[in-house]
Amino acid sequence: MKKIQLKKGIDLYLNKDGKFKTYMASVIFYRPLTREGASYGSLLTGMLKMGNRLCRTNRELNIELDKLYGAWMGCSSGKRGEEQNIRVAAETVCDEFLPTPVFDRTLELLFATAFEGGVDGKFDPDKVNQQKINLIDRIRSQINDKRYYASMRLEEIMFQGEGCGVNSIGYEEDVEKITSESLYDYYLDVINTSGISIIFTGNFDETAAEKAARRAVEPLPEREAAHTLAKIKTEVDEVKRVTDHMDVTQGKLAIGMRTGIAPAADMAWAQRVFSVIYGGGPSSKLFNNVRERLSLCYYASSWPNDLLGVLNISSGIEFQNLDAAYNEIMAQLQAMRDGDFTDEDIDIAKKEICNGYRSRLDSLEAMEGFHTAQILLGRDMTVQQAIEKIESVTRDEIIDVADRVKLDTVYFLAGKEEA
Amino acid sequence: MKFTKKYDSLLKDCIYEGEHKSGLKVIILQKNTAKKYATFSTCYGSINTEFVVPGETEVTKVIDGVAHFLEHKVFEQPDGTNAFSLFKGADVNAFTSFGVTNYLFSCTDYFYENFRQLLSYVQTPYFTEENVEKEKGIIAQEVRMYDDDPGQVCFYNCLRGLYKNHPVRTEIAGSVEEVMKTTPELLYKCYNTFYHPSNMAVICVGDIDPQKIGDAVDELITKDKPAGEIQQVFPSEPDEIVTPETEAQFEIAMPRFSLGFKDIETGGDLLRRDIVTSALLKVLVDGSSPLYERLYDGGLINGSFGGYYEYEKSFAFAEIGGESKDPKAVAQAVHDEIARVKREGIDPEAWQRAMNVLYGRYIRLMSGDVEDIGNEYMFSFHRGVDLSAYPDVWKTVTVEDGVERLNSLFVPERSSLSIVYPKK
């Protein structure tokens, strides 16, 4: 990956691969995640598509994108550990596969959306109000997907008081207080003080990309920018157990555990292998025991959150099977600690992970995600190097991870009649 | 087996097509990717509940959800292991839709080894009283998961509003009650009918050697001649809908809706109809349409609003849906807009833009993820559609086709509105 500092605090990354017929260009503003910033960031991403210097309305922007053979553009605000990422991205087909070229115009629209949002130097109050309503609806709609809702509640309970516990979508009561003026001030603060990464991935002309990016950041000031890494908690004071009741037909069990392993530590690779053997897929202990052997669920899986040194477990079960499922999940963890897995299990898990890494080479979005994760950790690693790290993980390291796992939070979403 | 090679001059890729003596179709789409994808699919989905077994004369009618139940059980191997464990370094899965059941894997290494496993395990059914019984608990949990999904409930309520008899009105996995009635005999009967290679296809996408695929097929496909044609029977379906409105309540924050339009033109040139209808839906309801802007600015819709067209040979419908605080007002606005466009005509510029978007979308699809390419190709294949003909058909579609479709599909009397409201 080629890195070019355009200005202090503003970097351009070029990740060209001629095998693609498309490319993706993203502007990522990064800053520490705060509770207030979460709501502002989410609302801002709604407003950025409502008008900019080139297109005064959302419809005008959509029409322009349609003209570019349906170029895709997306705005989102999310978190990585304790860092907030506000991302404006565009993806389109390379000019050589289209009847008329679209490269320059796509970038014009992307950069206008990211850096020149708002019309006549402000956000229209009516549109801000509309976006506030939409955002509040989205916040409330988090209960619609019960599996997601359970994982969100788990996060809330487990990380209470920690920066990473902030829900990046925002909070209803905070959104209500935002005005069109305060939102525009926040936007100016974002574009003038946040760290900025501009990332190109796929098949594009590097010279043209650099030229367009340089022109786009020309009016922006230099800034002090640093990435935020979450503090890793290694101890659990007291296991938290919470049950909510809702009108659902299937119970959702969400368990949070802490490994305390830092994301850049060598043990983080072993943590990945551990999680795949434990609950990563159809070859895992959770799938083969909780689902296949005991028929307790349709899904039971685990996955690590590397940035936080955390392991998540999730399963959908009959209400009355809570204890049986929980006990089996814990029994399988103990089996991992006892080293009750074969060299073949390790081999299968490693192959699965490496296959995932290699597969990323085909996806613009996954490639960008891989590289932004490396940028956050302050290293420049290739997919091949990541694969070598995984392949070098040993049995003892996996058992070491299992020994570090500490139960932190057990959350259960149960039905109404269970109340 | 032998392949014929086609060069796709637009995408600059090669396509290999061949037919094994068993009647199995094999298609390889060569792409310059790290990941390789293989599918082994049968033209058999949740809607195929009535059929005449080749060689018999009587119609066999089975309970709902058998295709999906089979999808789960085909993984079970005679030695009690799960077929998942046969694969190396691969993402292995399967899914059932209205019209197909698809067994699949993707991987970067060990592709040909894994491909052999795919061919073998799908041809090795092993259903016993005991293993069928065990699966019922798992599938019941899957069904319950869908029962808690307001989007699914809204969608199927809409289909039940549109269709009186056609099995598309039933959930793919069936109901818990029906699932509990499944027996090994029933599974074998459907397996033996629909899993004959002549009712199936192998479709592979990626940097793949056709010869190695052909050799594996020659060696591992055990049948040596095609079975007779399976006659698929569908209950007669009236043009009329069942009910114009359905309501349900759920623990959700905001009402959601599906407005379905029953398409009474089925069969024929499906690819062409897909392109025309997709362009038309874009003109009517997409983010660049005047209707979208009006509803969005009026606070009646959010970013979830949109429309799409779904079809198999035996049914087709358009669905326009999303979330809204007032679904009835949105449905009325959609009907009003359709009436306006019928009256004033389709804006030629909007039509051209929509057509351009479809063109770009096709190129992005066909140069994107190998799984997406393989799945689209596979769905099309079982509908009798050659997806690689898309650009050629696209060229011949005109705004007049759009006008004709507007009048034939978007008829208020053949629409049904399904709403899921938040529980009070």
Side-chain angles (χ1 to χ4, degrees):
Chain A
M1 185 172 49
K2 208 181 281 179
K3 177 179 175 181
I4 300 164
Q5 189 181 57
L6 298 176
K7 264 183 192 181
K8 198 169 164 212
I10 306 179
D11 297 307
L12 172 68
Y13 298 89
L14 301 174
N15 191 23
K16 184 181 161 92
D17 187 340
K19 78 173 187 181
F20 287 98
K21 298 186 175 88
T22 53
Y23 69 94
M24 181 177 269
S26 301
V27 177
I28 298 173
F29 300 98
Y30 57 91
R31 50 206 277 127
L33 177 65
T34 62
R35 177 173 159 134
E36 205 192 11
S39 301
Y40 269 101
S42 279
L43 189 59
L44 176 64
T45 56
M47 274 313 288
L48 288 180
K49 286 183 90 175
M50 291 302 115
N52 58 53
R53 183 178 62 81
L54 296 173
C55 305
R56 296 179 69 87
T57 65
N58 176 250
R59 184 171 174 225
E60 277 182 34
L61 175 63
N62 287 334
I63 288 174
E64 290 306 307
L65 293 169
D66 280 3
K67 285 183 187 165
L68 305 173
Y69 297 89
W72 171 85
M73 190 183 282
C75 304
S76 62
S77 173
K79 67 174 171 182
R80 288 197 154 186
E82 293 181 8
E83 181 174 281
Q84 181 181 20
N85 284 183
I86 296 170
R87 175 174 181 256
V88 184
E91 188 203 314
T92 189
V93 177
C94 302
D95 287 347
E96 63 171 300
F97 296 98
L98 293 173
T100 54
V102 302
F103 184 83
D104 294 337
R105 184 63 178 162
T106 305
L107 292 185
E108 271 175 33
L109 293 172
L110 170 71
F111 291 133
T113 303
F115 300 127
E116 299 175 288
V119 176
D120 304 328
K122 60 179 171 45
F123 288 141
D124 178 72
D126 289 342
K127 290 192 173 165
V128 171
N129 278 333
Q130 186 53 51
Q131 290 303 318
K132 281 168 70 172
I133 293 168
N134 287 355
L135 177 55
I136 288 170
D137 287 337
R138 262 179 60 211
I139 292 170
R140 291 180 185 167
S141 293
Q142 292 178 102
I143 64 161
N144 293 4
D145 179 343
K146 304 301 183 282
R147 187 173 178 176
Y148 168 80
Y149 180 78
S151 69
M152 186 195 84
R153 285 284 292 135
L154 173 73
E155 216 170 69
E156 236 172 51
I157 298 157
M158 185 163 169
F159 302 123
Q160 199 181 20
E162 293 174 68
C164 54
V166 172
N167 188 340
S168 63
I169 192 176
Y171 297 85
E172 192 170 337
E173 57 272 30
D174 295 358
V175 174
E176 270 161 5
K177 289 185 209 134
I178 300 174
T179 64
S180 60
E181 291 83 10
S182 72
L183 184 64
Y184 196 75
D185 289 344
Y186 171 80
Y187 175 50
L188 293 180
D189 191 55
V190 166
I191 55 177
N192 290 321
T193 70
S194 299
I196 301 176
S197 301
I198 300 174
I199 304 172
F200 282 78
T201 312
N203 191 1
F204 57 90
D205 181 320
E206 289 177 297
T207 316
E210 185 182 342
K211 204 172 140 198
R214 275 198 191 283
R215 196 182 320 122
V217 303
E218 182 60 35
L220 299 177
E222 298 188 334
R223 74 265 335 262
E224 295 293 333
H227 283 285
T228 313
L229 275 179
K231 284 173 279 301
I232 305 287
K233 219 173 134 183
T234 49
E235 292 306 314
V236 178
D237 309 323
E238 193 188 352
V239 176
K240 299 175 271 293
R241 293 175 197 271
V242 176
T243 298
D244 285 340
H245 295 275
M246 223 185 246
D247 190 2
V248 290
T249 58
Q250 183 183 66
K252 305 285 179 195
L253 176 60
I255 298 176
M257 302 192 183
R258 294 193 191 260
T259 63
I261 294 165
D266 267 349
M267 283 296 286
W269 303 102
Q271 178 173 270
R272 280 186 202 165
V273 181
F274 162 84
S275 178
V276 171
I277 299 173
Y278 179 52
S283 63
S284 71
K285 286 189 170 296
L286 294 186
F287 185 92
N288 284 299
N289 290 288
V290 187
R291 171 175 149 142
E292 293 294 309
R293 185 167 60 80
L294 300 174
S295 293
L296 288 171
C297 64
Y298 174 61
Y299 67 90
S301 56
S302 73
W303 65 99
N305 185 333
D306 289 356
L307 288 172
L308 302 174
V310 159
L311 185 75
N312 294 292
I313 294 150
S314 145
S315 184
I317 52 176
E318 296 269 7
F319 307 127
Q320 71 269 19
N321 287 337
L322 172 62
D323 290 341
Y326 172 81
N327 289 339
E328 189 58 26
I329 287 166
M330 298 311 285
Q332 292 305 322
L333 177 61
Q334 189 54 47
M336 292 296 296
R337 288 180 179 137
D338 296 340
D340 180 15
F341 52 91
T342 63
D343 288 346
E344 201 194 342
D345 291 333
I346 302 175
D347 189 49
I348 290 169
K350 285 182 178 177
K351 287 196 170 94
E352 227 169 280
I353 298 169
C354 294
N355 176 54
Y357 275 124
R358 288 197 187 96
S359 298
R360 286 173 199 222
L361 295 167
D362 293 335
S363 156
L364 298 174
E365 187 120 31
M367 272 317 279
E368 186 190 298
F370 178 83
H371 286 298
T372 50
Q374 306 312 313
I375 294 168
L376 177 59
L377 296 179
R379 64 188 184 199
D380 181 13
M381 186 176 258
T382 62
V383 166
Q384 190 48 43
Q385 286 166 328
I387 288 170
E388 284 160 18
K389 288 284 190 188
I390 290 292
E391 280 170 350
S392 70
V393 168
T394 66
R395 182 181 184 81
D396 288 344
E397 287 172 325
I398 297 167
I399 296 175
D400 188 5
V401 173
D403 283 332
R404 294 183 196 213
V405 174
K406 294 192 180 87
L407 180 64
D408 186 293
T409 305
V410 181
Y411 174 79
F412 189 53
L413 180 60
K416 274 250 164 78
E417 65 270 30
E418 308 294 300
Chain B
M1 58 176 293
K2 286 200 166 55
F3 291 97
T4 54
K5 181 177 171 181
K6 271 199 309 193
Y7 181 69
D8 186 326
S9 57
L10 174 67
L11 297 164
K12 300 175 180 149
D13 297 323
C14 289
I15 302 174
Y16 294 84
E17 291 175 339
E19 186 171 331
H20 181 251
K21 60 190 174 191
S22 63
L24 178 72
K25 301 281 191 318
V26 183
I27 301 171
I28 295 145
L29 299 154
Q30 260 188 354
K31 302 278 171 188
N32 180 15
T33 55
K35 189 161 74 172
K36 300 171 179 75
Y37 181 56
T39 74
F40 191 12
S41 59
T42 159
C43 186
Y44 170 52
S46 67
I47 59 173
N48 303 112
T49 52
E50 283 184 64
F51 48 90
V52 181
V53 177
E56 294 183 7
T57 48
E58 295 287 297
V59 172
T60 301
K61 189 172 180 347
V62 300
I63 54 172
D64 297 324
V66 179
H68 174 261
F69 205 113
L70 262 177
E71 174 218 311
H72 275 240
K73 279 332 291 175
V74 164
F75 279 92
E76 185 114 4
Q77 297 302 289
D79 63 0
T81 60
N82 190 310
F84 281 119
S85 65
L86 302 170
F87 288 80
K88 274 207 285 188
D91 270 338
V92 184
N93 216 332
F95 61 78
T96 311
S97 73
F98 290 128
V100 303
T101 311
N102 187 31
Y103 299 85
L104 58 101
F105 74 89
S106 68
C107 62
T108 52
D109 300 310
Y110 316 104
F111 178 77
Y112 301 101
E113 266 173 72
N114 285 332
F115 179 69
R116 299 169 71 87
Q117 299 293 356
L118 175 71
L119 292 186
S120 300
Y121 93 79
V122 175
Q123 291 185 95
T124 318
Y126 181 67
F127 316 134
T128 63
E129 290 291 344
E130 195 192 354
N131 74 26
V132 168
E133 210 48 47
K134 187 205 78 172
E135 202 68 23
K136 289 179 181 173
I138 295 171
I139 295 177
Q141 284 308 309
E142 188 180 358
V143 170
R144 289 205 200 292
M145 190 173 79
Y146 301 141
D147 285 347
D148 276 340
D149 181 341
Q152 288 268 331
V153 171
C154 190
F155 176 68
Y156 281 102
N157 281 350
C158 177
L159 292 182
R160 281 187 276 271
L162 290 177
Y163 292 93
K164 185 162 184 277
N165 303 317
H166 195 286
V168 67
R169 67 197 304 279
T170 306
E171 283 83 351
I172 286 166
S175 63
V176 172
E177 271 179 353
E178 301 263 277
V179 166
M180 292 302 166
K181 290 182 202 156
T182 311
T183 62
E185 295 71 39
L186 188 56
L187 293 179
Y188 274 116
K189 173 135 204 169
C190 292
Y191 181 91
N192 290 332
T193 305
F194 289 103
Y195 282 65
H196 190 283
S198 55
N199 193 48
M200 300 180 77
V202 163
I203 294 172
C204 301
V205 189
D207 187 4
I208 293 164
D209 179 357
Q211 191 56 48
K212 288 188 181 163
I213 296 297
D215 290 349
V217 167
D218 281 337
E219 185 190 329
L220 295 167
I221 294 294
T222 50
K223 300 275 194 297
D224 60 2
K225 58 175 185 297
E229 203 189 330
I230 307 159
Q231 198 190 328
Q232 304 194 354
V233 181
F234 292 101
S236 82
E237 177 65 35
D239 287 353
E240 294 77 41
I241 56 153
V242 178
T243 174
E245 247 176 63
T246 315
E247 289 181 11
Q249 254 128 43
F250 248 84
E251 193 129 14
I252 54 171
M254 166 108 100
R256 59 193 310 150
F257 68 98
S258 291
L259 176 62
F261 289 86
K262 186 175 187 170
D263 197 346
I264 56 170
E265 287 180 47
T266 54
D269 190 346
L270 298 178
L271 180 57
R272 185 181 182 82
R273 198 178 299 133
D274 181 5
I275 294 171
V276 176
T277 314
S278 299
L280 186 57
L281 276 165
K282 222 182 136 36
V283 169
L284 289 173
V285 302
D286 229 41
S288 52
S289 68
L291 175 69
Y292 187 100
E293 181 176 52
R294 204 160 57 239
L295 292 174
Y296 194 99
D297 289 350
L300 280 171
I301 56 167
N302 57 30
S304 67
F305 184 68
Y308 83 111
Y309 183 57
E310 174 144 357
Y311 60 98
E312 293 293 340
K313 283 178 190 164
S314 64
F315 72 86
F317 60 88
E319 190 215 353
I320 295 168
E323 296 172 336
S324 172
K325 62 182 185 194
D326 190 351
K328 288 186 185 178
V330 176
Q332 191 51 53
V334 170
H335 286 304
D336 291 347
E337 178 68 1
I338 289 167
R340 182 192 71 79
V341 179
K342 281 181 183 169
R343 215 166 44 239
E344 298 174 8
I346 295 172
D347 172 6
E349 274 180 37
W351 179 263
Q352 194 48 54
R353 280 199 308 270
M355 290 299 290
N356 283 359
V357 170
L358 294 186
Y359 187 84
R361 204 181 274 169
Y362 172 75
I363 294 177
R364 272 169 58 191
L365 166 72
M366 295 306 287
S367 57
D369 186 50
V370 289
E371 299 191 31
D372 294 341
I373 300 169
N375 289 342
E376 277 305 313
Y377 220 89
M378 185 271 309
F379 281 125
S380 298
F381 175 83
H382 289 299
R383 290 172 186 140
V385 167
D386 174 11
L387 194 59
S388 67
Y390 195 98
D392 290 335
V393 177
W394 177 86
K395 262 182 233 155
T396 67
V397 169
T398 64
V399 68
E400 286 75 30
D401 295 317
V403 174
E404 200 187 304
R405 209 73 264 271
L406 182 66
N407 289 308
S408 65
L409 172 60
F410 291 100
V411 178
E413 293 73 32
R414 283 201 299 273
S415 73
S416 181
L417 175 65
S418 160
I419 306 173
V420 174
Y421 286 110
K423 252 185 191 151
K424 298 249 160 50

